[in-house]
C-alpha cells in the first residue's frame, strides 16, 4: 500500500514536471509543420528536420560571400522578402544579429552546379553552394519556407533542419508560343517569376509560325513590319523589338533562366513568306502570295491549321536569309542554343527537308550555337552535339539516341500545357490527350520511352502552344498548376515524387499564386488552401 502510494506520487511528480517542461516549450513559438513536411515544390533531395524554429523578423540580416554574383543573389532574396513579406533586411551591412548567410563553398556533401545545402538553425540560416546558380535555387527554397502567414507578433517561423538538394536534370523548361498569339514582355516576365520560384531554368520562346513573326530582324524588317501584324483570330498582333528581347533575356538571366529562341522552319513559315514571298516553297497552298495586293498584311493567315507552308529549300537566297536571321538572333542571345523548329513540314519533300536541315545545322554551327530541333530532325541531323526535342514519335527519339544526341522530353500526352484538362476545359486543344493535373505529374522522363535512359536525356520541357489563348489569365489557366508539376518532374528524383504527397504541397501554393495574381485552374483533384 505504502509502496503503491509512493509510486503514485512519483508518477504524479513526473507528470507535473513533464507538463511544466512542455509548458515552457509551448511558450516558445512552434511552427505548425516541421521542415520535412514543409510545402516545398520541387521536393528537395533530402531533408532532415530538427524540432526548433528560426524566427524571421526585421532584425535579421543577410550576408553573402564576397562575390558579385552571390551578392546579387542576396539582394534578390532581400527584394522578394520586401515585396512578399514587407520585410526589409539589409544585405552585407552588418552581422551583429541573426544572419541568413549565403556562402560560396564546396564544403558540403553535393557538388553539382545547382546543388546547395540549406541549414536552418535556431540562431541563423546558412546557405552553402558551389555556384551562384545553386545559391539562387536555395533562395527559392527559403522563400517557400517563409509561409506568407505570420504569427501574432508579425514574425515568420521557419522549422529547423538541413536540406541537401540538387536537380535530377540540368534542363528544366517551359515554352511560350508567342507566335500564334502574341504575349507582351510583361506577361513573359510574370511567367519567368513563377518559373524561377519553382526552380525551372529554361525559357523557350517560339518566335515564329504561320500566323506571325515576333522578333525584329534588322536586316529583314518586313518580317515583323508585315509578318507581326496580326495573330490567330485576326486581332492586332505584335512583336518584340531587339531591345524588348534583350530585356527579356536579362530579366531571365537575373532569375538564372536561359532563353532559347526558336525560329521554326522550313514549315510553319507562312508569315515569313508573306513578308518576303521569294522564300515560299509551297507550290499549291500559297497561291494567295501571287495576289498583287499593295498591302501584304491582308494576306496573313489567322486560322490554326498546321503543315501547309514551307520555305523553298533549293534556293540559295533562302539560306542567305536564314544566315542573316541566325546571325542576328545568335548575337542577341547569350545562351548556347538555337532552336530551328523542323516540325510538321508536311509540304516539304523528304529530300528537300533533309537537305534543308543539314544546311541550317551548318549555319547554326557557324554562329557557335548548339542546334535544337523538334524530334523530326533526328532523321537528318548527324551532329551528336545537336539536341532533339521529343514530342511525338518514339522512333525519332531512338534515332537521336543512336546518333549520340541528347533529348529533351516534352511528350505531348504529359507535358503539353495546351491540352485541355478535361472535356469541360474552356481553353486548349485535345489532339494528344486530355491532361488532368495528376496525369501531367505522374510520369518519369527516363521511363517514358523504352530504350531512352537518363544518360540520353538533357531534361524536361513543358510547351504552351497558344492557338486557343490570347490573354494572360487564359495562359495561366492552361499553364498553372501543370507547369509546377513539370518543374518537380524535372528536379526531384522518382523516389521523392508521389502524387498524394504532391497534391497537398500543391494545394498549399495558393498564398503565393494569389499574391502573384496567377489565375490558376482550380482542379478538383487538389484541395486548394483558402
Ligand atoms: C503540334 S508540337 C505542334 C504545334 C501546335 C501544337 C498544338 C509541335 C512541334 N508542333 O505547331 O501548336 O501541336 O498542340
Amino acid at each position: 500500500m505504502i509502496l503503491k502510494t509512493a509510486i503514485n506520487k512519483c508518477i504524479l511528480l513526473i507528470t507535473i514536471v513533464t507538463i511544466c517542461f512542455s509548458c515552457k516549450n509551448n511558450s516558445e513559438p512552434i511552427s505548425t509543420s516541421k521542415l520535412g513536411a514543409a510545402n516545398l515544390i520541387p521536393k528537395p533531395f533530402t531533408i532532415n528536420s530538427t524540432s526548433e524554429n528560426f524566427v524571421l523578423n526585421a532584425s535579421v540580416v543577410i550576408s553573402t560571400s564576397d562575390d558579385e554574383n552571390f551578392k546579387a543573389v542576396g539582394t534578390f532574396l532581400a527584394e522578394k522578402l520586401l515585396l512578399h513579406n514587407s520585410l526589409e533586411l539589409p544585405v552585407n551591412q552588418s552581422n551583429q544579429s541573426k544572419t541568413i548567410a549565403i556562402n560560396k563553398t564546396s564544403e558540403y556533401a553535393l557538388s553539382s552546379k545547382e546543388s546547395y545545402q540549406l541549414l536552418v538553425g535556431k540562431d541563423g540560416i546558412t546557405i552553402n553552394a558551389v555556384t551562384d546558380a545553386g545559391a539562387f535555387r536555395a533562395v527559392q527554397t527559403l522563400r517557400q519556407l517563409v509561409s506568407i502567414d505570420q504569427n501574432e507578433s508579425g514574425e515568420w517561423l521557419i522549422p529547423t533542419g538541413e536540406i541537401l538538394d540538387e536537380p535530377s536534370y540540368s534542363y528544366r523548361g517551359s515554352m511560350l508560343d508567342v507566335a500564334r498569339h502574341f504575349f507582351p514582355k510583361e506577361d513573359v516576365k510574370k511567367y519567368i517569376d513563377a518559373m524561377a520560384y519553382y526552380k525551372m531554368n529554361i525559357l523557350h520562346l517560339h518566335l515564329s509560325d504561320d500566323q506571325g513573326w515576333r522578333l525584329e530582324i534588322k536586316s529583314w524588317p518586313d518580317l515583323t513590319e508585315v509578318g507581326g501584324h496580326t495573330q490567330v483570330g485576326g486581332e492586332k498582333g505584335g512583336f518584340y523589338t531587339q531591345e524588348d528581347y534583350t530585356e527579356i533575356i536579362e530579366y531571365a538571366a537575373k532569375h538564372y533562366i536561359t532563353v532559347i529562341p526558336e525560329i521554326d522552319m522550313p514549315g510553319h513559315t507562312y508569315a515569313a513568306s508573306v513578308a518576303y514571298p521569294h522564300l515560299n516553297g509551297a507550290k499549291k497552298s500559297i497561291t494567295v502570295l501571287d495576289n498583287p495586293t499593295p498591302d501584304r498584311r491582308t494576306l496573313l493567315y489567322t486560322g490554326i491549321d498546321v503543315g501547309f507552308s514551307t520555305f523553298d529549300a533549293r534556293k540559295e537566297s533562302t539560306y542567305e536569309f536564314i544566315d542573316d536571321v541566325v546571325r542576328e538572333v545568335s548575337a542577341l542571345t547569350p545562351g548556347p542554343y538555337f532552336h530551328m523548329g523542323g516540325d510538321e513540314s508536311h509540304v516539304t519533300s523528304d529530300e528537300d527537308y533533309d537537305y534543308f536541315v543539314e544546311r541550317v545545322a551548318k549555319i547554326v554551327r557557324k554562329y557557335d550555337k548548339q542546334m535544337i530541333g523538334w524530334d523530326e530532325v533526328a532523321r537528318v541531323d548527324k551532329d551528336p552535339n545537336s539536341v532533339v526535342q521529343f514530342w511525338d514519335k518514339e522512333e525519332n527519339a531512338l534515332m537521336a539516341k543512336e546518333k549520340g544526341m541528347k533529348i529533351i522530353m516534352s511528350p505531348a500526352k504529359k507535358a503539353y500545357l495546351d491540352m485541355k484538362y478535361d472535356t469541360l476545359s474552356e481553353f486548349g486543344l485535345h489532339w494528344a490527350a486530355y491532361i488532368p493535373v495528376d496525369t501531367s505529374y505522374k510520369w518519369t522522363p527516363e521511363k517514358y520511352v523504352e530504350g531512352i535512359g537518363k544518360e540520353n536525356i538533357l531534361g524536361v520541357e513543358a510547351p504552351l502552344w497558344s492557338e486557343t489563348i490570347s490573354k494572360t489569365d487564359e495562359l495561366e489557366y492552361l499553364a498553372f498548376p501543370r507547369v509546377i508539376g513539370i518543374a518537380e518532374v524535372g528536379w526531384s528524383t522518382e523516389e521523392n515524387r508521389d502524387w498524394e504527397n504532391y497534391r497537398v504541397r500543391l494545394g498549399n501554393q495558393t498564398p503565393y499564386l494569389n499574391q502573384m495574381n496567377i489565375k490558376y485552374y482550380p482542379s478538383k483533384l487538389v484541395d486548394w488552401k483558402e
Side-chain angles (χ1 to χ4, degrees), residues 94-153:
S94 77
N95 43 20
Q96 294 183 356
S97 46
K98 287 189 184 176
T99 304
I100 299 171
I102 306 178
N103 301 328
K104 183 182 172 115
T105 172
S106 52
E107 287 175 12
Y108 60 97
L110 302 172
S111 59
S112 61
K113 190 169 164 274
E114 292 179 278
S115 72
Y116 66 88
Q117 179 188 41
L118 174 64
L119 294 162
V120 183
K122 197 162 129 328
D123 301 317
I125 292 179
T126 304
I127 286 170
N128 291 322
V130 201
T131 68
D132 46 316
F136 184 82
R137 305 300 169 217
V139 158
Q140 309 316 312
T141 306
L142 183 53
R143 290 176 64 200
Q144 294 190 9
L145 287 173
V146 183
S147 102
I148 288 170
D149 305 322
Q150 289 161 267
N151 69 6
E152 284 131 27
S153 17

Side-chain angles (χ1 to χ4, degrees), residues 175 177 180 206 209-211 262 264 268 304-307 339 341-344 373-376 389 391-392 410 412 416-419 428-432 463-467:
M175 184 205 83
D177 171 7
R180 268 53 176 273
H206 183 76
D209 214 302
D210 292 316
Q211 298 84 349
E262 178 188 352
D264 201 351
H268 291 277
I304 66 166
D305 285 349
V306 296
H339 200 311
D343 58 314
E344 298 174 321
W374 295 104
D375 64 43
E376 289 94 323
Q389 184 161 13
W391 65 285
D392 185 29
S410 300
Y416 267 31
L417 300 173
D418 67 315
M419 290 299 115
L429 302 170
H430 63 93
W431 63 263
L464 178 53
W465 301 99
S466 66
E467 285 94 333

